[in-house]
Amino acid sequence: MGRAFECRRRAKEARWDTMSRVFPKLAKSITMAAKNGGPDPTANAPLRMAIANAKGQNLPKDKIDAAIKRAAGKDAADIVEVAYEAKGPHGSLFYIECATDNTNRSVVNIKTIFNKNGGQVVNSGQLDFMFTRKTVVEFEVTPDTNLEEIELELIDAGLEELEEEDGVVRAIGEYASFSSLTAGFEKLGIPVKKAGLERIPTQPIELTEEQMAEVEVILEKIEEDDDVQVVFTNLA
């Protein structure tokens, strides 16, 4: 009984820890989408998908509504989106997207993480060619899923390829086709698990377990930073 209780307690603590880190980032992504494109999800595809992503992570409705309202307030006016590029150990590359009300704080935090863990932040644009920006939509396979049919239906909406792994499909499309591709999924009635703009490495690398352990230290510290929204790497 004691062991079962400990397992349940650890599971709850892990979930609370995830919520405390993920929920603020989800709310901030909603606020930024509403700030950039307006508070009406029907007329703002990025906001619509930010809300869908948040619901997929169980962000409560009141927090979603509050995040949208926050877009019109002074707090949101002070938030800017900024990206940092960095090199880590063993040829690892990082593209870090932030939403922050203090860029000085953000850059100091990011530089400190890399400097203390065998890496360095580089000039903006230096690593841009190592990543291709794409629209990525994830959905789950069901017994009725016909991937060939979905592919044919969505080619005109900007779909380039489908990748399936462990029952989850990644639909990859042109960067400029985010609105049309996500609208295509809505038209087909396919529930979207997650959607967004991603940076896909042009030359992904594979590391040994020991090398990955060093890189994961950096990844974990970056993802714990409140200003960081998403991190892309060149890891396979």
Side-chain angles (χ1 to χ4, degrees):
M1 181 65 183
R3 181 175 175 80
F5 174 78
E6 285 296 309
C7 290
R8 287 197 299 272
R9 182 178 64 80
R10 284 196 294 270
K12 282 186 177 180
E13 286 178 350
R15 181 169 178 268
W16 289 333
D17 180 57
T18 298
M19 288 166 58
S20 68
R21 289 187 290 108
V22 173
F23 279 12
K25 296 177 188 289
L26 292 170
K28 191 180 285 187
S29 69
I30 291 171
T31 297
M32 295 307 294
K35 175 186 173 184
N36 295 333
D40 181 8
T42 60
N44 183 345
L47 175 59
R48 198 160 60 246
M49 286 300 107
I51 292 172
N53 291 342
K55 287 181 177 178
Q57 295 285 338
N58 299 314
L59 184 68
K61 185 179 184 301
D62 62 330
K63 293 188 181 296
I64 292 174
D65 294 340
I68 295 173
K69 290 178 181 177
R70 199 175 299 123
K74 182 181 181 300
D75 290 346
D78 293 335
I79 299 175
V80 295
E81 294 174 301
V82 61
Y84 302 104
E85 299 168 36
K87 294 181 178 181
H90 311 299
S92 58
L93 304 178
F94 298 77
Y95 197 101
I96 306 152
E97 296 182 357
C98 299
T100 178
D101 59 359
N102 187 328
T103 55
N104 289 332
R105 178 190 65 223
S106 299
V107 71
V108 168
N109 288 349
I110 297 298
K111 282 185 175 180
T112 299
I113 291 170
F114 280 95
N115 291 343
K116 288 185 175 181
N117 294 281
Q120 62 173 326
V121 173
V122 300
N123 293 332
S124 178
Q126 189 170 331
L127 304 180
D128 200 47
F129 73 101
M130 298 297 293
F131 296 88
T132 302
R133 205 164 193 201
K134 296 288 186 180
T135 294
V136 179
V137 180
E138 293 185 4
F139 63 97
E140 293 182 345
V141 174
T142 69
D144 298 325
T145 300
N146 186 324
L147 293 181
E148 289 186 6
E149 188 176 304
I150 291 172
E151 191 169 15
L152 288 173
E153 289 285 345
L154 294 177
I155 285 178
D156 290 340
L159 178 68
E160 294 179 333
E161 62 177 310
L162 296 176
E163 297 177 348
E164 182 184 358
E165 185 176 353
D166 298 329
V168 176
V169 179
R170 282 167 53 89
I172 300 173
E174 301 166 10
Y175 163 70
S177 298
F178 180 84
S179 294
S180 60
L181 191 54
T182 52
F185 276 92
E186 291 173 0
K187 184 178 179 181
L188 292 175
I190 299 173
V192 171
K193 186 176 181 182
K194 188 172 75 170
L197 298 173
E198 295 189 12
R199 294 182 186 271
I200 298 175
T202 55
Q203 298 176 5
I205 63 171
E206 294 189 9
L207 302 180
T208 64
E209 287 188 19
E210 292 80 6
Q211 291 171 333
M212 270 301 302
E214 291 183 47
V215 175
E216 283 174 352
V217 170
I218 294 178
L219 272 172
E220 288 175 5
K221 291 183 180 298
I222 292 173
E223 290 176 346
E224 287 173 359
D225 191 287
D226 290 339
D227 292 336
V228 174
Q229 288 296 101
V230 63
V231 183
F232 301 106
T233 75
N234 65 332
L235 303 179

